[in-house]
Amino acid sequence: MVPDWRTIFLRRTRPVSLSVPDTPNPLKRQLGRFASVGVLNTLVGVSLIFLCYEVFGLGLTLSNAIGYGAGLALSFALNGTWTFGAKTFDAGALAKFLALVLVAFVVNLAVIQTLLALGAPYALAQITGVITYSALVFLGMKYAIFKS
């Protein structure tokens, strides 16, 4: 006996879910969340820089300080709670975070300058510097600041 076409094409063996599953791999989840926070804090920071400079007429340095400061605060808070699951913050964690960002920034500049001196195209040097910066901040937050 030949099965009816409805049996073949309409039968479901398991329910269909449209939600995105939360990955069981904690490192992948943390990397995804870290990247998401990075995009958000970049959008917030750049938006504030433009708003302060173009709309409120603040100086370039002050506008950038406000934008970067807001982005760093957002990164610390969201990565701490959402990415790495911190329940509380203290001044020590904030101080470590600021030191980490400073070190990562200096390493970022060193990577870019070294690659440019070796003849690498600027875009490649800049992208490599950003990847280096991001990796250092992720690892520092995971293993030094918000270690679980």
Side-chain angles (χ1 to χ4, degrees), residues 22 29-38 40 75-87 89:
D22 200 16
R29 181 175 50 250
Q30 287 176 335
L31 285 169
R33 288 179 177 188
F34 184 80
S36 298
V37 170
L40 179 63
S75 174
F76 178 74
L78 287 181
N79 278 315
T81 56
W82 188 50
T83 304
F84 300 108
K87 304 292 182 226
F89 300 118

Side-chain angles (χ1 to χ4, degrees), residues 16-42:
V16 174
S17 173
L18 297 178
S19 66
V20 177
D22 200 16
T23 177
N25 183 326
L27 180 60
K28 284 183 183 178
R29 181 175 50 250
Q30 287 176 335
L31 285 169
R33 288 179 177 188
F34 184 80
S36 298
V37 170
V39 169
L40 179 63
N41 73 40
T42 299

Side-chain angles (χ1 to χ4, degrees), residues 85-110:
K87 304 292 182 226
T88 60
F89 300 118
D90 60 20
L94 180 59
K96 287 180 189 177
F97 174 74
L98 293 175
L100 171 65
V101 167
L102 179 61
V103 168
F105 178 70
V106 169
V107 172
N108 165 56
L109 290 177

